Amino acid sequence: EIGMTICKNCALNTFLLDDGEDVETHDRISDCLNCRTGKFSPVGSRYCDGCQAGTRLSVSTLKVSKCDPCRAGKFQADADQKLCSDCPKGYSQNVIGQPYCLPCVPGNYQDENGTDICKKCGAGKFQETSATISCINCKRGMYQRKKGESLCLVCIPGKYQNIAGAK
């Protein structure tokens, strides 16, 4: 019919939340409210969505917002964020979309940021604590032949070892 107008959608990343009974909240574009920072909505929405921890808000070239999981080696502890952070030294994360990084366990270390796996201590070295960035040489009188160990072994009676870091 002539002169008939349909209701228009609120724009992308705006919303209009009410029960539809108040005409005054539906009579101009300014009634559509902007989503808070870190939140998004499709066209014609009643609410805004957000990204959960372990994800980040990304916007495509078509200006469509979505939540992408953090890559391995990265994390995001908080919801509604635009960036994922690198796992710090001494930590790693090998699963995508996580809100935390895991500490390297004893016998392992990580001396770089943003990695998905911890490194094993080499032969002749050990690490007895977690979340570390290096390994320690075995002392004289001790040795370690295996990689990824949390302690060194004492030389048996009748034997000695006079070099630190012996394998």
Side-chain angles (χ1 to χ4, degrees):
E1 294 179 38
I2 299 175
M4 188 165 178
T5 307
I6 60 169
C7 295
K8 297 177 181 172
N9 286 326
C10 287
L12 186 71
N13 296 324
T14 66
F15 71 103
L16 204 161
L17 174 64
D18 75 326
D19 56 13
E21 292 181 15
D22 184 3
V23 174
E24 302 256 332
T25 61
H26 291 268
D27 62 352
R28 58 187 166 274
I29 194 166
S30 61
D31 292 334
C32 297
L33 305 172
N34 289 324
C35 293
R36 288 183 320 171
T37 301
K39 302 274 187 183
F40 61 94
S41 70
V43 171
S45 292
R46 291 187 59 169
Y47 59 89
C48 295
D49 283 323
C51 295
Q52 65 185 15
T55 64
R56 66 177 184 85
L57 178 65
S58 68
V59 182
S60 72
T61 54
L62 301 173
K63 298 196 181 202
V64 175
S65 299
K66 64 178 184 156
C67 300
D68 288 331
C70 294
R71 294 189 332 249
K74 294 185 173 284
F75 76 103
Q76 180 45 260
D78 300 315
D80 306 329
Q81 301 299 310
K82 292 183 179 179
L83 299 172
C84 295
S85 300
D86 284 344
C87 290
K89 293 176 182 179
Y91 292 78
S92 69
Q93 180 53 265
N94 65 352
V95 179
I96 65 168
Q98 296 301 306
Y100 54 84
C101 294
L102 299 168
C104 296
V105 297
N108 294 269
Y109 72 102
Q110 185 46 262
D111 57 354
E112 300 174 55
N113 292 318
T115 61
D116 61 348
I117 192 164
C118 294
K119 301 173 185 176
K120 290 180 181 264
C121 293
K125 298 178 182 281
F126 77 103
Q127 184 47 260
E128 60 189 1
T129 59
S130 60
T132 58
I133 62 170
S134 64
C135 296
I136 303 164
N137 283 330
C138 293
K139 294 179 182 178
R140 287 190 263 166
M142 303 181 89
Y143 71 99
Q144 181 51 261
R145 289 192 178 129
K146 296 179 184 176
K147 292 181 178 180
E149 294 298 316
S150 60
L151 53 85
C152 293
L153 305 171
V154 178
C155 293
I156 60 172
K159 302 207 177 231
Y160 76 99
Q161 193 294 103
N162 63 353
I163 302 169
K167 299 175 185 174

